[in-house]
């Protein structure tokens, strides 16, 4: 329809429709909004953990003394330390040791390389070839060597005195018995020896020699001894040595030996080749003058 008479919609109705649409739209948004908007992540709740620290109580360390004005000091208990008591047995005097089957620790073995141990004042046995028994010092050597060797015992003597000893032979096929006095416990020191050379054990001489050259000073006659026991006697002071043999029946030449200390030697020498030599020393007496 045209013209001035065309019909018009009432503006009041239009306003009412717009209000209704707005109300519906708000309602729909309210319903759908929770589904469209992502949910926030919940923040975790922390539980506090309490750590208990043990209380350390300081225990006072014992002390040996309590300082003045310190009441907290604790004296240490006094506990005495017991030390073991040990009284070493002194070596028996030389000359008395063989009687008890002992080789006194006062003896110095020769050569010094001979290994020894001490117990109750005595050297361990056998001492090389030597054994003490029933008052005798015995040995038996049966072996071969490539050069001369010397074995025996040294003993310190008084500055002025005497020494005597007996020796009974059992074998003397090769080698020599030696008894002498030296200025030091060494056969290479100055001294004088009385030697019994090899041969018939019942008929032997005694030879006096200077040491260390082994030069012969005097040789006795052949003594007839049955049993084959030979004895020697020494008298000495700070300047010289004198010797007698076979019950003092034959004096040997006086020998000059200036030394403040002197040493008795008893033993033997073996020579290049095979040697078989055996003997027993006994009745050793050393006296100071």
């Amino acid at each position: 329809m045209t013209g001035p008479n065309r019909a018009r919609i009432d503006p009041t109705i239009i306003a009412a429709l717009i209000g209704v649409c707005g109300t519906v739209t708000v309602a729909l948004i309210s319903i759908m909004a929770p589904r469209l908007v992502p949910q926030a992540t919940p923040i975790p709740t922390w539980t506090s953990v309490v750590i208990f620290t043990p209380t350390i109580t300081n225990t006072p360390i014992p002390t040996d003394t309590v300082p003045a004005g310190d009441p907290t000091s604790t004296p240490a208990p006094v506990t005495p330390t017991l030390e073991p008591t040990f009284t070493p047995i002194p070596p028996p005097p030389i000359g008395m040791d063989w009687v008890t089957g002992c080789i006194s620790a006062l003896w110095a073995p020769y050569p010094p390389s001979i290994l020894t141990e001490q117990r109750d004042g005595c050297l361990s046995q056998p001492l090389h070839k030597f054994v003490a028994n029933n008052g005798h010092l015995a040995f038996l050597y049966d072996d071969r060597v490539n050069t001369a060797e010397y074995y025996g015992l040294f003993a310190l003597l008084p500055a002025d005195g005497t020494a005597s000893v007996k020796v009974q032979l059992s074998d003397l096929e090769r080698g020599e018995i030696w008894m002498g006095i030296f200025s030091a416990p060494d056969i290479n020191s100055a001294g004088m020896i009385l030697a019994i050379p090899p041969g018939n054990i019942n008929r032997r001489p005694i030879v006096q020699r200077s040491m260390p050259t082994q030069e012969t000073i005097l040789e006795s006659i052949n003594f007839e001894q049955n049993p084959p026991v030979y004895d020697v006697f020494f008298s000495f002071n700070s300047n010289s040595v004198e010797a007698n043999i076979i019950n003092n029946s034959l004096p040997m030449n006086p020998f000059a030996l200036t030394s403040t200390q002197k040493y008795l030697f008893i033993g033997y020498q073996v020579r290049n080749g095979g040697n078989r030599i055996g003997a027993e020393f006994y009745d050793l007496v050393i006296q100071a003058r």
Side-chain angles (χ1 to χ4, degrees):
M1 182 177 300
T2 61
N5 295 323
R6 186 172 52 181
R8 290 185 170 184
I9 299 173
D10 191 343
T12 306
I13 295 172
I14 294 171
L17 290 173
I18 293 171
V20 171
C21 290
T23 302
V24 172
T25 300
V26 171
L28 289 173
I29 291 172
S30 300
I31 294 170
M32 296 302 294
R35 299 181 182 182
L36 298 175
V37 178
Q39 299 296 316
T41 303
I43 299 174
T45 302
W46 296 94
T47 302
S48 299
V49 178
V50 179
I51 300 174
F52 293 94
T53 302
T55 301
I56 300 175
T57 303
N58 291 328
T59 302
I61 299 174
T63 58
D64 292 334
T65 58
V66 181
D70 188 359
T72 60
S73 298
T74 304
V78 178
T79 303
T81 301
L82 300 179
E83 296 291 338
T85 57
F86 174 73
T87 302
I89 298 176
I94 289 176
M96 300 296 296
D97 50 346
W98 303 343
V99 177
T100 60
C102 167
I103 299 177
S104 175
L106 297 175
W107 288 104
Y110 190 87
S113 59
I114 294 176
L115 298 178
T116 62
E117 294 182 358
Q118 294 187 28
R119 182 177 181 181
D120 297 338
C122 301
L123 300 178
S124 58
Q125 298 185 55
L127 182 61
H128 185 56
K129 304 292 185 180
F130 294 100
V131 176
N133 184 37
N134 196 29
H136 291 210
L137 180 71
F139 76 92
L140 176 62
Y141 187 98
D142 189 0
D143 205 348
R144 297 184 62 87
V145 294
N146 296 323
T147 186
E149 295 180 2
Y150 310 87
Y151 298 96
L153 301 171
F154 278 100
L156 180 63
L157 295 170
D160 189 353
T162 62
S164 60
V165 66
K166 295 178 181 178
V167 57
Q168 180 169 340
L169 306 179
S170 57
D171 286 283
L172 199 55
E173 295 179 7
R174 189 175 179 86
E176 293 183 336
I177 299 294
W178 278 19
M179 298 162 286
I181 294 182
F182 291 77
S183 60
D186 185 351
I187 61 168
N188 295 309
S189 64
M192 183 266 287
I193 65 164
L194 299 178
I196 304 177
N200 183 347
I201 61 174
N202 296 106
R203 191 171 183 270
R204 302 307 318 129
I206 295 181
V207 182
Q208 182 186 22
R209 297 191 187 129
S210 63
M211 296 295 293
T213 61
Q214 297 197 39
E215 180 183 354
T216 298
I217 301 172
L218 180 66
E219 181 172 348
S220 73
I221 62 172
N222 288 335
F223 291 98
E224 299 286 345
Q225 299 292 105
N226 192 13
V229 175
Y230 301 81
D231 64 272
V232 299
F233 176 88
F234 298 100
S235 176
F236 50 86
N237 55 39
S238 60
N239 296 314
S240 65
V241 177
E242 295 182 7
N244 284 271
I245 58 176
I246 312 300
N247 296 321
N248 291 329
S249 64
L250 179 61
M252 309 301 279
N253 291 342
F255 183 81
L257 183 61
T258 303
S259 175
T260 56
Q261 289 186 330
K262 291 182 172 58
Y263 294 82
L264 173 69
F265 177 80
I266 58 173
Y268 60 96
Q269 175 199 52
V270 291
R271 297 177 178 177
N272 181 29
N275 291 264
R276 181 174 176 83
I277 178 172
E280 296 184 22
F281 300 95
Y282 63 100
D283 284 359
L284 172 61
V285 178
I286 297 175
Q287 292 181 326
R289 209 168 28 196

